[in-house]
Amino acid sequence: MSYLSTPNVIFVDVEGEDEGPKAPIYKPASVPPSNPSCRAACIFLHDVAEEGKNFTRTSLLAFVSFTISYISTNQQLLAFASISADYNLPHLQWVFPTAPWNTRIRQPAWFTPTRFSRYSSKLPNANAPEDEEEILRSVQMVVNIIDDLVKQGVLAKRIVVGGQGQGHCIALVTSMVSKYSGQLGGVIGQCGYLPLRDRISVLREKQGLPKELVPVPLLLACAIADAYLPETEFEAQVHKLKGLGYTDATIKIRLYRNMSCLDAAMSPTPLKETLDFLGKVVPQLEEGEGGLKGSQSSQARKKDEKVAADGLKNEQSEDGVFQSLVERSITAWQSLNYFDGRTTPGYMNINTLRRYSSLESVLEGRRFWFFQRRESFMRQAVFMKWDPHRLDEYVLLPIDYGFVNKQDCFFVSHYWRTKQHPDPEAVDLSLMRQDLEKIKWSYIWVDWTCLPQVPRSEVQEWYFNKILQCIPMLIRDCAFEWRFPTFEPRAWILLEVAENVFCHKGFIWTDDNRPFILHLQEMLAHGVRPVVDKYGYKCTSKSDLRLIIGWLEIHIILVKILRDDMATKRQILDHINKPETGCLVLYDLAKSDITVDKAKGFISYNGATYKFTPIYHLRSDAARASLAPGKALATGEKPTTGKLNHLKAIWVRVRVGASKIFSKSFS
């Protein structure tokens, strides 16, 4: 291996590497249609310093998660033909060209890198305009491949050109200034930009193309944390595309928050959205025996084209509903009665929510509560089940201090009357509506309505588990509405009543909550577990019961050592309720610091140590990623993969009454 040095950089050149042109790699369809007009193809262009062969030997998730450039080529081989088969694209063939060798950076490149790509800082004039000649030469390479596919019988409108980084750039220019402008099935651009954007009109004129550009379906994706492409440059290309004739109906934009090329490796969202896009713009067409049946072929093609167009239209409609949820939520934040002194929501939460590209990305982020709107709650005939297709019924509130408050928000504590539905006859709902109709409030949280219910997808399960651990925080911050027909020893109800009783001075005694309150008082004298066993409290899940016992024990300990100091008690609970917090140290108390260790199960204060059931379960995102889908990580069990070093709790040190937190991680 030899090294070529330039100022501030070392380039690596493998001895014996062939620097001549390399033929494209063709991956045939897993089920090639016998009728050429039913065939489809995707030409996918790599980024700078990569090769087409890299796409044939990287993991499935890495492909559309922007990580191909970073995945070791000795990982598990996975042909793209099998990807097509797995995602109902068996008719699709793939073509992976390799860029020409660039002598300036001694790596394959579609054009000499600019400031928006890797190697840019290593060139003395990286801020210079793109090399138009190099870009057009690369465009011609793509055109030659399209020519070859057309000769094989593949229709141009059944060909999609896509790329990552520099490949994104070439795919866009190809669709705009080549002879196939306006004729392709679609374009996919990932983590790139539109080069030569001030020259597009001139180049079209040189090619003899009409002045007005005919838009084709376009999927543009940007990783917000991309180190090379600023979000402003991504937005600039969208603005230019719209100036050239593209509209919101023809551009599908995806912004992936907190993702860079490396970070997004395990995210399923980019993968799903890319393959869904391909399935809509070049769908599988039905064939008769020996191809489409003679006189029906034209009609069938028109039908399939309409199906593809309708699919894109429906997806745009779904995007509109999601964006409406985002903007409605942000508007709602402006009028909340914040209890922490603020008057506006601040830009951080607004920017975070606006960067989410879909409902699935919100669930992956797990930073927002779903609250049902008052008008939706009051008009429903029965409790509405959580429904991702009814986003108009919700607003999103940040899981952040101050947003959820007792003036605007209600938490509903209730029995589930059946496993299939908590209140099928709407008995509890009708009584709750009577309680709430004359009270001023805006949003309400009901578990059946505001949490994904079974069957849950993997990302819904992740969201569900995170939110479940934050429920105590939600109860403390909301006004409390309950309905318990007769006493039943249900552990979740006991915890919900405990949060309301132990964290508020003015709780109300009623006939239906009295047994639970009396049992909590009994726990102060005899401990949690003896009382739980005595009255037979239970949960559907044993792990839930262990979690509830741990939280109740923490409550009992804090009541004993802090007495009526509600403010300090809430401060401790708000910090340790966060799933990532493993240990909290609250300092500057009159007598002594308080340490709460969720992982080891103890609270130390004023020289005394109090034990409780450990509630810090090592089930973080890192652990989940290292496990096979559906496999649970038991308490105390260590993952056996190399991701153990990412499985860390957060150690938090905070002064009494302070909002600033000092934190670090420990294994």
Side-chain angles (χ1 to χ4, degrees):
M1 185 173 286
S2 61
Y3 297 84
L4 171 67
S5 297
T6 63
N8 302 320
V9 67
I10 296 179
F11 291 114
V12 180
D13 178 27
V14 180
E15 291 180 356
E17 183 74 22
D18 182 10
E19 300 177 10
K22 297 184 179 180
I25 296 176
Y26 286 79
K27 285 292 178 182
S30 58
V31 183
S34 56
N35 189 318
S37 64
C38 296
R39 297 173 187 167
C42 180
I43 304 168
F44 206 86
L45 312 175
H46 61 76
D47 196 2
V48 61
E50 294 298 323
E51 297 183 35
K53 66 183 180 182
N54 289 7
F55 288 105
T56 68
R57 56 189 185 188
T58 55
S59 69
L60 172 60
L61 285 177
F63 163 50
V64 287
S65 297
F66 315 139
T67 56
I68 297 165
S69 304
Y70 300 88
I71 302 299
S72 171
T73 55
N74 60 12
Q75 288 191 4
Q76 179 182 4
L77 304 185
L78 183 58
F80 273 80
S82 66
I83 296 177
S84 303
D86 291 343
Y87 284 83
N88 199 28
L89 299 171
H91 61 294
L92 189 68
Q93 66 170 307
W94 298 82
V95 186
F96 304 108
T98 294
W101 187 263
N102 188 291
T103 56
R104 298 182 66 190
I105 66 169
R106 298 182 65 81
Q107 296 285 356
W110 299 106
F111 54 93
T112 299
T114 65
R115 63 188 183 281
F116 299 128
S117 61
R118 284 181 291 158
Y119 293 92
S120 59
S121 62
K122 306 165 179 54
L123 296 170
N125 58 344
N127 289 325
E130 302 98 349
D131 190 315
E132 182 175 313
E133 183 179 346
E134 289 180 336
I135 290 174
L136 295 181
R137 190 185 308 128
S138 294
V139 167
Q140 187 57 47
M141 286 182 61
V142 179
V143 169
N144 293 342
I145 295 172
I146 299 174
D147 286 341
D148 184 51
L149 291 170
V150 171
K151 288 177 184 177
Q152 297 174 30
V154 183
L155 302 176
K157 66 181 179 181
R158 302 274 294 161
I159 298 173
V160 175
V161 180
Q164 174 200 52
Q166 278 201 352
H168 169 137
C169 303
I170 299 302
L172 273 182
V173 177
T174 300
S175 72
M176 301 173 118
V177 306
S178 76
K179 66 180 182 180
Y180 289 105
S181 175
Q183 301 180 45
L184 298 173
V187 177
I188 299 170
Q190 299 174 348
C191 297
Y193 68 102
L194 175 61
L196 307 177
R197 60 171 177 250
D198 295 328
R199 295 273 298 158
I200 297 297
S201 298
V202 175
L203 293 173
R204 286 181 62 82
E205 186 177 350
K206 284 185 178 181
Q207 289 288 332
L209 296 170
K211 185 176 181 180
E212 292 187 0
L213 183 146
V214 178
V216 298
L218 175 59
L219 172 63
L220 291 181
C222 176
I224 297 300
D226 193 322
Y228 303 104
L229 180 71
E231 187 178 352
T232 52
E233 182 63 23
F234 182 85
E235 292 171 350
Q237 78 174 317
V238 174
H239 179 75
K240 181 63 177 181
L241 288 168
K242 290 183 176 180
L244 291 169
Y246 276 87
T247 65
D248 290 335
T250 49
I251 303 180
K252 180 178 178 182
I253 298 173
R254 287 291 178 254
L255 300 178
Y256 298 113
R257 190 186 69 83
N258 286 345
M259 288 190 186
S260 65
C261 289
L262 183 59
D263 296 333
M266 297 309 295
S267 173
T269 303
L271 169 66
K272 181 179 183 300
E273 291 178 344
T274 299
L275 296 179
D276 283 349
F277 177 82
L278 285 169
K280 287 180 172 64
V281 298
V282 286
Q284 185 176 13
L285 303 181
E286 292 184 7
E287 291 186 286
E289 214 172 280
L292 289 173
K293 296 179 181 177
S295 62
Q296 297 179 349
S297 60
S298 177
Q299 294 179 357
R301 279 196 296 272
K302 289 180 180 179
K303 179 181 177 182
D304 286 316
E305 289 168 7
K306 184 177 184 304
V307 168
D310 289 344
L312 281 175
K313 187 187 238 181
N314 290 338
E315 187 149 333
Q316 291 291 338
S317 176
E318 291 178 7
D319 290 346
V321 172
F322 174 74
Q323 291 303 322
S324 176
L325 169 66
V326 169
E327 296 306 320
R328 179 172 62 254
S329 300
I330 292 172
T331 300
W333 301 350
Q334 309 298 327
S335 57
L336 291 176
N337 293 284
Y338 298 99
F339 64 78
D340 62 349
R342 79 177 84 181
T343 57
T344 60
Y347 291 108
M348 183 177 296
N349 285 298
I350 292 176
N351 291 340
T352 295
L353 184 54
R354 281 187 171 147
R355 285 174 176 173
Y356 286 126
S357 59
S358 64
L359 175 64
E360 199 166 49
S361 60
V362 170
L363 296 174
E364 284 181 347
R366 288 157 293 171
R367 297 184 62 176
F368 295 91
W369 304 106
F370 283 82
F371 270 83
Q372 188 179 13
R373 300 163 71 189
R374 177 188 176 118
E375 53 269 34
S376 171
F377 179 85
M378 298 302 286
R379 72 168 178 261
Q380 62 190 350
V382 294
F383 283 129
M384 183 187 87
K385 184 179 181 180
W386 188 86
D387 191 341
H389 303 294
R390 297 180 63 182
L391 298 183
D392 288 341
E393 313 290 342
Y394 297 98
V395 298
L396 300 171
L397 297 183
I399 305 177
D400 192 7
Y401 190 73
F403 284 83
V404 177
N405 65 84
K406 291 179 175 57
Q407 290 180 262
D408 297 308
C409 307
F410 264 97
F411 175 92
V412 172
S413 180
H414 64 110
Y415 289 169
W416 279 44
R417 294 176 180 267
T418 69
K419 290 184 178 180
Q420 293 72 32
H421 192 283
D423 186 23
E425 303 298 326
V427 176
D428 296 333
L429 174 61
S430 61
L431 294 172
M432 290 176 184
R433 278 202 298 241
Q434 292 176 26
D435 291 343
L436 299 173
E437 63 182 349
K438 295 182 180 180
I439 302 174
K440 185 179 178 181
W441 56 277
S442 301
Y443 315 111
I444 196 163
W445 197 94
V446 183
D447 51 4
W448 175 253
T449 305
C450 299
L451 277 179
Q453 302 299 322
V454 292
R456 288 184 283 265
S457 67
E458 186 176 10
V459 69
Q460 289 172 1
E461 187 71 27
W462 290 4
Y463 178 82
F464 179 87
N465 287 327
K466 161 71 179 287
I467 296 303
L468 208 61
Q469 297 178 61
C470 298
I471 292 296
M473 185 190 313
L474 183 66
I475 300 169
R476 288 193 297 276
D477 292 342
C478 286
F480 195 69
E481 170 69 13
W482 69 92
R483 195 56 67 174
F484 314 135
T486 58
F487 172 72
E488 294 180 24
R490 303 196 181 193
W492 271 112
I493 298 296
L494 180 64
L495 178 62
E496 291 166 5
V497 173
E499 290 290 344
N500 186 47
V501 169
F502 289 144
C503 296
H504 303 92
K505 292 182 179 180
F507 65 88
I508 300 173
W509 289 73
T510 61
D511 289 339
D512 53 355
N513 72 9
R514 184 177 301 274
F516 297 102
I517 297 176
L518 290 174
H519 295 166
L520 292 172
Q521 290 180 336
E522 197 172 336
M523 289 177 183
L524 288 170
H526 303 291
V528 172
R529 196 174 290 273
V531 177
V532 166
D533 293 340
K534 176 181 176 180
Y535 294 103
Y537 279 97
K538 57 185 180 295
C539 286
T540 303
S541 167
K542 290 184 178 179
S543 62
D544 281 3
L545 183 59
R546 177 184 174 89
L547 184 69
I548 290 168
I549 289 173
W551 280 119
L552 289 171
E553 290 170 341
I554 290 174
H555 270 292
I556 298 299
I557 295 169
L558 292 179
V559 168
K560 289 181 177 180
I561 65 177
L562 295 176
R563 304 289 181 180
D564 294 329
D565 188 353
M566 292 289 183
T568 302
K569 189 189 308 177
R570 281 187 61 102
Q571 189 179 15
I572 291 172
L573 292 170
D574 283 344
H575 285 306
I576 65 175
N577 266 143
K578 297 174 182 177
E580 67 272 13
T581 301
C583 183
L584 169 75
V585 177
L586 198 68
Y587 66 99
D588 278 3
L589 292 176
K591 295 182 180 179
S592 173
D593 295 353
I594 290 182
T595 299
V596 183
D597 194 316
K598 289 163 59 179
K600 297 179 180 178
F602 71 84
I603 296 176
S604 63
Y605 173 66
N606 202 23
T609 299
Y610 308 84
K611 296 285 188 177
F612 62 86
T613 302
I615 56 174
Y616 182 75
H617 296 276
L618 298 181
R619 296 178 63 184
S620 67
D621 290 348
R624 291 178 188 282
S626 68
L627 296 172
K631 180 182 176 184
L633 187 63
T635 304
E637 178 185 350
K638 295 183 179 180
T640 56
T641 71
K643 299 200 173 189
L644 179 60
N645 61 321
H646 297 298
L647 190 57
K648 296 179 179 178
I650 302 299
W651 181 91
V652 178
R653 180 172 171 85
V654 59
R655 179 170 53 83
V656 174
S659 59
K660 187 174 182 180
I661 302 171
F662 306 91
S663 63
K664 66 179 182 179
S665 297
F666 66 91
S667 297

